[in-house]
Amino acid sequence: MGNLIKAEFRKVLTTKLWWGLLIPTFVLSFAWSLGVGALIDDVSSNVADEPILRQVGLNTSELPWAIFALTRSINIAMIFPMIFGALGLATELHRKTITTSFLTASSRSALLTAKAITYALWGAIFGLVITLSASLGTVLAADSSILPGFGDWLLIVLAGLIAAVLWTLLGLGVGALIGAPVGTLVLLLIYALIIGPIAELVITGISEGGIWAGLMPNGAGNGLTGSTAGQVIVDTVRTAIENANVMVNESAVDALEVALRIAAGAPGAMVWWASGLVFLAWSLALFGAGMLRNQKRDIT
Amino acid sequence: MHDSSGRITVQNLSKTFGQIPAVQNLSFTVEPGSVTGFLGPNGAGKTTTLRMLLGLVQPTAGGTTINGRPFNQLTNPGRVVGAVLEAQSFHPKRTARNHLRVYTAAMGLPDRRADEVLGLVGLAEAAHRAAGGFSMGMKQRLALATALLGDPQVLVLDEPTNGLDPEGIAWLRTFLRSFASGGRTVLISSHLLAEVEQTIDQVVIISRGQTMYYGQLDDLRKSQQTRIIVQPADAGALVTALQEGGITGIEPTPDGKVAVTGSSVQQIGDIAAKASIALYGVQEEKADLEQLFFRLTSGQYVGQLPGVPGQQPATPGQQPGMPPQAPGMPPQAMPPQGMPPQGMPPQAPGTPPQGYPPQQQPPAGPPQPYQQGPPPPGYQQGPPPPGYDQQQPGHGQHGGWGGQA
C-alpha cells in the first residue's frame, strides 16, 4: 500500500495541476475573506436589531463577526479541492493511464484505496491553504475587536480541513462514476456554484426553517463551517445573557442561530456536527459508488 | 504464489458486449520459451482477449491464467506480466522518466530501473521530454519500456508494430526473439501476418471471436499445397492419362488448362510424354502464408469487388457461389473448439487435399463458422478477393495508436 501511495503522490507531483489549483485556491480564499471582512459592518448592524440582543444590552460591536468572513471564504474556496478530487480518477480513465495503473497494482481495490488515501491527504493540504489564507485575509480586513478567539478560530480551521477532505473525496467519487473530466467538472461546478446555493435559499424560504437544505450535499458541506460560526456567536451571546442574569428565550436564540447561518453562507443548515455527518454520508456514498464502479469496470 | 512457469492458458473464453459477441469459446496455450502470434483481422476479438487475460475486462464465460493463476490473483502482477496495449497511454505533460518512476514506485522497484529500461528501448535521450511530444514510434518504445520495468516473465503486446518504422520493427523482432530464447513467454497480436511472421514460432489465428488455427507456424507452412497448372494440347486426354497414372487431384480450369495437386512437374511431364500429349506450359503455384491467413480469416467483413463473386456465408454441405471449375483449396477443417492444442497436423505426403475433387462435399459435422463462404481464390488468377488489396501489407495502412476498437 505504501508503494502505491508513493506512486499516487508521484503522479500528482509530476504534473502541474496541484500548484495550478493551489494558487487560485489561495487567491480566491484570501480575496474573498478580505471582501467579506469589509462587509462585516453591514452584517453586524443588521443582526444588532435582534430583540434578544437589545434585551440584555449586549454590545454587538464586540461579537466575533469576522468569523463570517472566514467561513464564507472557506466555503467558496471548497470548489478547488473538489476540482482536484474530480480530476483524480477521471483523467486516468480518460487518458487511459488507468490501464497501466491497474496492471502494476496488486489489485484494483488496493489501487483505489491508495488513491483515496492520497487524495484525502491532498484534500487536507488544500484545506490548510484555504483556512490559512482565509484567516490572513480576515485578520487584514477586520478590526481586531470582532475577531474570534483562538479556540473558536481553531474550531473553524478544523471544520474547514474536514470539509476540504470530504469535498475532495466527493469529487474523486463523482469523477470515478462519470469517467470524463469535462463532464465531471461541469456537473460539479454548476451544482456547487449555482444549483446548490440557489436551491438551498429557495428551500429554506419555502420550508421556513426546515432541514431540507441542510440535507443537500452543498448545504451540508457549508453547514460544517457555517453552523460552527453561528454556534460560536450564539455561544458568546448566550454567555452574555446568562451573565446578565436574564432568562434565556430559547426560541429567540434558535431564530438568531438560523439568521446567523444564513449570514455565514449556510442557509437551512443543521447544527455543525449533524451537517458534518450528513456531508460525510454524501461524500462516502458518492466516493463509494465511484470506487465500486471501477472495481468491476471493463477497461477497454 | 504462482507456479513461475510463464505459461499462459486461455480456456473456453467468451465475452459479449451487450448483444455483440466479441470472443466466443476461445482456447489456447502459450508456452514459455516461444513467441506466439495472435492473429486476426481488426475486430476479431484480439484486443478483448488480451484485456481479459490481463484482468482489465471481465469474461462472460471461461477464464485465463498466467503462471497457473488468474491475473487478479497475482500478488505483484507487474513483475510477472508486462503489457503493451493499444489503448494504453501517458499523461502528455509528464516526462518519460517521471512516467516510469510512477510505476517503479507502484511495483516497489528501485528508481534506477526507470533509466535502465529507457536505455534498453533507446529512449535515454528523450528521458526528460514530455510524452505528449513523442512520435508514435517513441510512444510504442515508452510503452514497451513500461512493460519491461518489472523484468517480467511474460510479455503481452497488442499490435506493437503500429507506428514503428522498419528499423524499429526489426529491432523489436530481435528483442522479442532474445527475450523468448531466455525461456520467457511472448504473446504478440497483429492483424498482419507478414509483420510478425519472422518473429513467431507458434500462431493462434482467430476470426469473429473464434479460433481458426492454433499450432506451430511451421506446420501451417507445411500444409501449403503446391498446385501445378498445365496447359496441354488436349485437356481431356491429359485428364484421362493422369487418372490412369493414379493421380487424383485433377481439375480442369475454365480456360482449357488443367490444375493438378499432389503431384510433381516431372511426374506430369512423364505421363504427358507417354500419352503423346503436347504441353505448352507448366507452372507451379504455391499459396503463401499471407493468402492462407486471409483464407482462414476471410468473411468477417463481406465486401465485393467487380467481377468477383461475393463471399456469402454458407453452411457446410452446401456452398453456394462455389464454381465447380475453380475450387481452389477449401479452408482446412479445424477440429471443434476444445481440441487438444497440437494444432493442425501437416498433411501426410500423397494425401489428397481435403475437399478435393470439387464434386466431393465437405465432411459432414456440426456447423463450423470458419467453413463459411466459398474457398478464397488463393490460386485464382483473377482479381484479388475482397478485402485483400494488392498493396504490400505492412506499411502505410496502420490504424494508428488506439486505432482498433
Side-chain angles (χ1 to χ4, degrees):
Chain A
M1 184 55 68
N3 286 339
L4 289 175
I5 293 173
K6 187 177 169 192
E8 288 302 322
F9 263 92
R10 283 187 175 180
K11 280 182 197 166
V12 172
L13 292 171
T14 51
T15 55
K16 297 167 184 166
L17 183 73
W18 67 277
W19 57 262
L21 278 178
L22 273 178
I23 291 172
T25 304
F26 178 87
V27 171
L28 180 72
S29 174
F30 178 72
W32 205 272
S33 58
L34 271 182
V36 178
L39 285 169
I40 285 289
D41 283 346
D42 287 354
V43 179
S44 58
S45 61
N46 287 340
V47 183
D49 289 337
E50 287 288 323
I52 189 168
L53 300 179
R54 290 198 302 264
Q55 199 181 342
V56 294
L58 202 66
N59 187 356
T60 52
S61 65
E62 283 177 9
L63 285 174
W65 299 119
I67 208 162
F68 294 132
L70 210 51
T71 57
R72 282 195 165 252
S73 52
I74 288 173
N75 286 350
I76 190 73
M78 283 300 153
I79 56 164
F80 290 106
M82 179 191 79
I83 292 173
F84 185 76
L87 295 176
L89 242 162
T91 22
E92 280 227 56
L93 289 165
H94 176 66
R95 294 199 193 285
K96 313 270 187 195
T97 52
I98 194 75
T99 302
T100 317
S101 297
F102 277 157
L103 289 179
T104 51
S106 52
S107 68
R108 285 196 185 190
S109 39
L111 179 87
L112 296 172
T113 309
K115 232 181 208 343
I117 293 171
T118 307
Y119 276 79
L121 287 170
W122 274 100
I125 293 171
F126 272 87
L128 212 60
V129 169
I130 290 168
T131 50
L132 292 182
S133 56
S135 303
L136 187 66
T138 307
V139 167
L140 290 178
D143 190 83
S144 61
S145 64
I146 58 166
L147 289 177
F150 179 76
D152 292 338
W153 172 79
L154 207 61
L155 212 59
I156 298 288
V157 167
L158 198 67
L161 284 181
I162 293 171
V165 170
L166 294 180
W167 272 115
T168 311
L169 292 182
L170 186 144
L172 190 65
V174 174
L177 269 180
I178 295 179
V182 176
T184 308
L185 286 186
V186 168
L187 182 83
L188 281 175
L189 286 176
I190 287 181
Y191 172 71
L193 292 177
I194 301 167
I195 295 178
I198 292 174
E200 283 145 27
L201 267 179
V202 171
I203 291 171
T204 310
I206 292 171
S207 66
E208 292 181 7
I211 57 163
W212 298 108
L215 284 174
M216 318 257 291
N218 187 59
N222 287 341
L224 193 53
T225 48
S227 295
T228 310
Q231 181 99 42
V232 165
I233 303 234
V234 165
D235 284 350
T236 316
V237 172
R238 190 188 291 270
T239 313
I241 295 171
E242 278 163 5
N243 289 347
N245 282 323
V246 175
M247 259 300 271
V248 177
N249 180 344
E250 286 301 337
S251 67
V253 171
D254 287 349
L256 173 66
E257 192 152 17
V258 168
L260 289 172
R261 284 175 189 164
I262 294 172
M270 290 176 284
V271 66
W272 67 271
W273 56 265
S275 291
L277 284 180
V278 169
F279 191 48
L280 179 74
W282 274 111
S283 309
L284 290 188
L286 286 167
F287 170 75
M291 295 302 117
L292 215 62
R293 168 91 177 83
N294 285 283
Q295 188 65 38
K296 292 281 172 199
R297 162 181 241 152
D298 283 348
I299 308 294
T300 52
Chain B
M1 292 304 290
H2 47 80
D3 63 14
S4 320
S5 62
R7 183 176 290 108
I8 297 173
T9 64
V10 171
Q11 252 183 344
N12 307 115
L13 194 66
S14 296
K15 176 68 182 181
T16 308
F17 288 113
Q19 295 289 306
I20 303 153
V23 173
Q24 296 172 57
N25 204 22
L26 208 60
S27 298
F28 61 88
T29 309
V30 180
E31 295 296 333
S34 72
V35 181
T36 299
F38 188 43
L39 298 167
N42 285 335
K46 301 187 300 291
T47 299
T48 306
T49 303
L50 296 184
R51 288 185 165 265
M52 285 193 276
L53 177 65
L54 296 166
L56 295 167
V57 168
Q58 300 273 327
T60 310
T64 60
T65 63
I66 296 170
N67 284 0
R69 298 182 77 94
F71 182 89
N72 295 334
Q73 287 177 27
L74 298 171
T75 35
N76 196 346
R79 311 202 55 173
V80 178
V81 199
V84 175
L85 298 177
E86 276 202 309
Q88 193 174 18
S89 193
F90 317 101
H91 192 293
K93 297 288 163 60
R94 199 175 279 140
T95 66
R97 186 164 180 270
N98 279 334
H99 161 80
L100 293 169
R101 282 162 57 96
V102 165
Y103 300 107
T104 52
M107 287 186 264
L109 301 167
D111 285 340
R112 65 164 194 281
R113 182 68 189 151
D115 299 311
E116 284 171 18
V117 291
L118 279 173
L120 203 60
V121 300
L123 278 182
E125 306 267 299
H128 296 283
R129 279 173 54 191
F134 279 14
S135 68
M136 201 76 85
M138 289 169 83
K139 281 182 179 164
Q140 282 290 35
R141 284 168 189 262
L142 183 55
L144 184 62
T146 315
L148 293 171
L149 267 181
D151 196 21
Q153 196 178 359
V154 178
L155 209 49
V156 175
L157 306 107
D158 194 8
E159 307 269 355
T161 49
N162 271 359
L164 285 184
D165 50 22
E167 193 192 354
I169 293 174
W171 171 82
L172 184 68
R173 187 173 290 159
T174 317
F175 178 84
L176 293 180
R177 291 244 47 109
S178 71
F179 187 88
S181 67
R184 298 199 244 194
T185 315
V186 179
L187 179 60
I188 174 173
S189 87
S190 180
H191 60 284
L192 294 167
L193 176 65
E195 254 182 12
V196 292
E197 196 183 333
Q198 315 274 308
T199 318
I200 61 179
D201 317 294
Q202 205 191 206
V203 66
V204 179
I205 298 176
I206 68 168
S207 180
R208 275 172 292 187
Q210 294 170 312
T211 317
M212 295 291 130
Y213 176 83
Y214 161 41
Q216 296 297 313
L217 190 61
D218 281 344
D219 293 344
L220 188 62
R221 258 191 209 107
K222 284 179 204 152
S223 74
Q224 301 303 303
Q225 293 287 321
T226 304
R227 204 163 82 138
I228 298 154
I229 310 287
V230 190
Q231 194 181 354
D234 181 347
L238 181 66
V239 169
T240 312
L242 289 172
Q243 279 168 344
E244 280 165 4
I247 294 167
T248 50
I250 309 162
E251 181 61 33
T253 65
D255 56 357
K257 295 177 184 174
V258 177
V260 186
T261 48
S263 183
S264 67
V265 174
Q266 287 87 344
Q267 199 180 5
I268 294 166
D270 289 348
I271 291 171
K274 210 179 284 174
S276 305
I277 300 165
L279 298 182
Y280 304 139
V282 180
Q283 192 183 346
E284 211 169 1
E285 269 189 7
K286 191 172 175 69
D288 69 14
L289 218 47
E290 194 72 42
Q291 282 173 320
L292 186 58
F293 170 58
F294 170 72
R295 187 154 58 218
L296 288 170
T297 59
S298 68
Q300 174 147 6
Y301 302 110
V302 179
Q304 212 165 345
L305 287 180
V308 175
Q311 302 213 348
Q312 294 145 357
T315 48
Q318 45 172 149
Q319 300 195 340
M322 181 170 103
Q325 302 90 337
M329 192 171 72
Q332 302 251 314
M334 283 283 299
Q337 317 283 325
M339 55 161 196
Q342 283 80 20
M344 187 166 76
Q347 291 199 328
T351 310
Q354 277 178 284
Y356 220 77
Q359 291 79 14
Q360 182 185 329
Q361 294 297 332
Q368 292 171 350
Y370 39 80
Q371 289 186 327
Q372 286 177 353
Y379 290 118
Q380 276 181 0
Q381 320 248 316
Y388 188 73
D389 49 7
Q390 283 164 306
Q391 123 189 44
Q392 186 64 30
H395 304 292
Q397 49 173 317
H398 300 304
W401 192 272
Q404 185 179 359

